[in-house]
Amino acid sequence: STPSDLKDEL
Amino acid sequence: MNIFRLAGDMTHLASVLVLLLKIHTIKSCAGISLKTQELFAIVFLTRYLDLFTNFISIYNTIMKLIFLGSSFSIVWYIRRHRVVRRSYDKDQDTFRHFFLMWPCLILAIFINEKFTLKEVMWTFSIYLEAIAILPQLVMLQRTRNIDNLTGQYIFLLGAYRAFYILNWIYRYFTEEHYVHWITWVAGVIQTLLYGDFFYYYFQSWKNNVKLELPA
């Protein structure tokens, strides 16, 4: 999983 | 976006608004730990480095600006505002919070998802947020007088974390390989720190007595 998909969280 | 995350963000927003309202209307920060507010400002600063470079959505950008703006204005109020600063009880707010930052930074350097400056800073903000409430909880134990707004503020902060845990569970089951141990472990630890407070908050609410934390 790419770490970026978590970056959509605040 | 799912209902748990939206509820979490709205609860988080409510917590900072309750605090701003308290400080702005009654011009007092009695019982509020400046150190915890400084740590939260650092959390948002190090987490939202990609604010202008990595556009996610209007909602995301607006919320980031609100959290950055509110956390820095709360710190400004407590440190600089000529009336509010007088109600800051620095003798009770003695937690050495900068002492807390080093282990978070070192841990972020060794345990992260990608060894880049932005990712290490972001991971640092995750670890720091997990323990940022400690100075505030220590101060509450000391001052023992928890006024309603402060109690609501901490309750809302804890609720926001609890909603985020539900959000991660939901995303784990609905999205392919959505796994982020670092965020989950830090998030669970953070929520547990509120556990003790929640217990006494509910006791006082159930027995309809003033909130008192044991010495």
Side-chain angles (χ1 to χ4, degrees):
Chain A
S1 73
T2 54
S4 61
D5 73 359
L6 188 77
K7 296 304 179 292
D8 66 355
E9 293 183 349
L10 290 170
Chain B
M1 172 61 82
N2 61 66
I3 186 64
F4 301 113
R5 186 144 70 91
L6 185 63
D9 290 343
M10 290 306 110
T11 316
H12 191 192
L13 179 63
S15 72
V16 293
L17 294 182
V18 157
L19 191 53
L20 260 178
L21 189 80
K22 166 187 162 98
I23 292 175
H24 182 73
T25 45
I26 58 176
K27 292 285 182 284
S28 158
C29 65
I32 300 296
S33 161
L34 168 64
K35 303 193 173 205
T36 281
Q37 299 310 316
E38 287 171 342
L39 290 178
F40 278 137
I42 293 168
V43 165
F44 294 131
L45 202 61
T46 52
R47 184 172 303 178
Y48 300 154
L49 294 173
D50 60 353
L51 175 61
F52 299 111
T53 59
N54 181 10
F55 179 77
I56 306 270
S57 70
I58 299 281
Y59 169 82
N60 190 273
T61 304
I62 290 175
M63 292 299 278
K64 283 177 176 176
L65 290 171
I66 291 174
F67 287 139
L68 278 167
S70 58
S71 58
F72 277 91
S73 50
I74 288 167
V75 168
W76 176 84
Y77 260 116
I78 300 177
R79 290 179 79 101
R80 292 274 184 277
H81 191 282
R82 72 197 181 299
V83 177
V84 173
R85 62 194 276 189
R86 285 207 296 265
S87 59
Y88 171 54
D89 190 351
K90 66 179 180 307
D91 304 333
Q92 298 283 12
D93 192 11
T94 56
F95 201 99
R96 289 190 301 279
H97 57 323
F98 290 123
F99 184 69
L100 274 182
M101 287 170 60
W102 298 116
C104 296
L105 187 59
I106 291 164
L107 202 60
I109 289 171
F110 288 104
I111 304 179
N112 52 60
E113 290 192 354
K114 207 168 53 178
F115 191 69
T116 64
L117 177 71
K118 232 166 67 170
E119 188 66 26
V120 168
M121 282 290 100
W122 182 84
T123 312
F124 166 70
S125 82
I126 292 291
Y127 296 145
L128 191 63
E129 188 191 4
I131 53 172
I133 196 65
L134 282 175
Q136 178 64 67
L137 293 180
V138 164
M139 185 171 185
L140 284 186
Q141 300 276 356
R142 282 229 179 83
T143 51
R144 290 172 60 78
N145 78 322
I146 303 171
D147 66 78
N148 286 342
L149 282 169
T150 308
Q152 279 153 9
Y153 165 68
I154 298 175
F155 173 76
L156 289 166
L157 266 185
Y160 134 68
R161 291 317 304 182
F163 278 126
Y164 254 71
I165 290 178
L166 296 179
N167 154 60
W168 292 327
I169 294 171
Y170 177 84
R171 291 188 78 172
Y172 176 77
F173 286 111
T174 53
E175 295 176 28
E176 282 303 303
H177 50 258
Y178 175 82
V179 178
H180 289 283
W181 289 112
I182 292 177
T183 320
W184 296 347
V185 170
V188 167
I189 291 171
Q190 180 174 350
T191 312
L192 291 177
L193 287 177
Y194 290 86
D196 175 47
F197 174 82
F198 272 141
Y199 173 73
Y200 291 107
Y201 194 81
F202 279 122
Q203 292 301 321
S204 76
W205 175 70
K206 193 171 64 178
N207 312 328
N208 197 14
V209 295
K210 186 160 170 41
L211 177 57
E212 290 269 322
L213 293 181

